[in-house]
Amino acid sequence: MQEPEKIYNTAVEATLEVIGGKWKPVILFHLTFGKKRNGELMSLMPAVTQKVLTQQLRELEEAGVVTRITYNQVPPKVEYELTEYGWSLKEILHLMCRWGDTHIERAYGNKAVVLRVPPQEPSIPLSKEDDDRAVKQ
């Protein structure tokens, strides 16, 4: 029997290998709302440095979840968008956002604020109870 190339204790590790870190999930989340230029991503994430953003985008590109589109024009124009494979992360990213909203409310009540509220998407239930409530309404 051939030795496995990689061993994971759980598939969550494989997911985090691609989207783990402070900025990758945030970058991917913003890209679920469409193509973004570098400057747009910088303004959506003011705490990230240009160096880190570039590094994270390259890693996401290497993983096959983001594509870099370069336009042959002056001045140069580059946009980033999710690949078809990257779009498969949309539901989990939006659920992470919803979970974060719930966590902020639970942990901080009205003593915390989310500066960037994403455009409205159809509601994805966090739990069976949420889904049941939506059906009853």
Side-chain angles (χ1 to χ4, degrees), residues 101-114:
D101 287 338
T102 302
H103 172 71
I104 291 166
E105 179 62 32
R106 180 179 179 195
Y108 303 102
N110 62 358
K111 296 177 184 169
V113 64
V114 176

Side-chain angles (χ1 to χ4, degrees), residues 11-53:
V12 173
E13 293 174 21
T15 304
L16 292 176
E17 190 173 75
V18 175
I19 70 166
K22 182 174 182 177
W23 297 110
K24 286 181 187 176
V26 181
I27 293 166
L28 292 167
F29 178 76
H30 288 304
L31 291 177
T32 66
F33 297 102
K35 294 178 189 176
K36 299 282 184 273
R37 294 181 71 173
N38 184 78
E40 290 177 283
L41 289 169
M42 289 292 294
S43 68
L44 289 167
M45 302 177 297
V48 71
T49 65
Q50 182 61 65
K51 178 184 175 186
V52 170
L53 178 60

Side-chain angles (χ1 to χ4, degrees), residues 2-14:
Q2 187 179 5
E3 286 294 315
E5 189 175 319
K6 183 86 175 183
I7 298 173
Y8 297 100
N9 290 309
T10 174
V12 173
E13 293 174 21

